[in-house]
Amino acid sequence: METRRLGRLEHQSSVLIYGAASLGGVDQDRADASIQEALDAGINHFDVAADYGDAELRLGPRMPEIRDRIFLATKTGRRTYDEAWFEINRSLERLQTDHVDLIQMHAVCDLENLDLVTGKGGSLEAAIRAKEEGMVRAIGITGHTAEAPSVHREGLRRFDFDSVLTPLNYRLSTDPKYADDYAALVEAIKASDAALMTIKMIARRNWQEGEEKAYDTWYRPFDEQRYVTAATAWLLNGHPEITGLATAGETRLLQQMITAERERADLTPQDAAAILDEVQDYASPFVDMPI
């Protein structure tokens, strides 16, 4: 699998980042099988969060064996220093490790939450202490709304985050405001040499009212290989600034994304966009979010 430099952190990170939200509601056997599937494919970057149900607990038992083989990132969604400090320590216990490579301020999707995180007594202060004490190597920020790129750009102005995890897919890129906000974020990322990672690459649309939710994702994902491959090719082949993209929060979709990464070389970004334009119900996932 291709690897890319993770900004100034210098880790050569697999372009597919294991999205451990997929482990939040599964048993240990299914978790172990999915983790091994990722490792066998060459994925060396695992991304989890304290808010992902039991996901940290599912990853923890594998850490004694694989900790020195992977870049391990987690997140705190708490907004105060005390709450975040407690949660960071709990994450280390659950993950069965004495440090993570990256702690991320989770779901910073608007300026109100950014104010809470970066303000006096906010969770960022806890992350800084954790870095000073060797519990984390780096500090990042994440978010998943239409406003995330502009909020993350402001976040970089306030603090020198080592990484940003923000949404991007072909449909979002066709929204002029979103495209402008994303382009401005990229310029800020380049100026700071931070790592830029993305989410929601295979999001197709929101689930419709009354529709059976066939996957554990809060949005309806692409699940046909043709479209998963096109979405992957459009993102990775056309956006060299992106160090990696998080796999969907569903273990059953992992193999399709691994296949897509392997097969994407045959598609130009333009060819991939043409394939995605075939999809009549392709829409932004940020129309009716469950948060």
Side-chain angles (χ1 to χ4, degrees), residues 10 13 29 47 149 161 171 252 276:
E10 297 291 352
S13 181
D29 287 343
D47 183 85
F161 287 103
R171 178 56 67 225
R252 290 172 293 167
L276 295 169

Side-chain angles (χ1 to χ4, degrees), residues 76-106:
T76 177
R78 307 289 73 78
R79 296 302 185 236
T80 69
Y81 170 90
D82 288 340
E83 291 172 324
W85 181 248
F86 171 83
E87 191 162 77
I88 292 168
N89 280 273
R90 190 186 67 168
S91 288
L92 294 181
E93 293 175 4
R94 285 157 55 118
L95 289 166
Q96 300 185 33
T97 184
D98 62 357
H99 75 285
V100 294
D101 297 296
L102 177 66
I103 185 68
Q104 297 158 104
M105 306 294 97
H106 191 197

Side-chain angles (χ1 to χ4, degrees), residues 131-202:
K131 183 177 180 180
E132 291 172 345
E133 297 190 11
M135 298 160 60
V136 308
R137 281 187 55 215
I139 302 171
I141 188 170
T142 82
H144 40 83
T145 63
E147 292 74 37
S150 63
V151 173
H152 293 163
R153 183 186 179 203
E154 171 62 17
L156 286 171
R157 191 188 67 79
R158 299 185 187 187
F159 179 76
D160 196 18
F161 287 103
D162 297 296
S163 70
V164 171
L165 182 65
T166 209
L168 186 67
N169 61 34
Y170 172 60
R171 178 56 67 225
L172 288 170
S173 77
T174 64
D175 180 297
K177 184 180 185 311
Y178 197 92
D180 287 347
D181 287 343
Y182 176 78
L185 174 63
V186 169
E187 291 306 308
I189 288 282
K190 290 179 178 178
S192 66
D193 197 23
L196 178 60
M197 301 168 283
T198 63
I199 53 176
K200 303 299 179 281
M201 184 270 296
I202 64 167

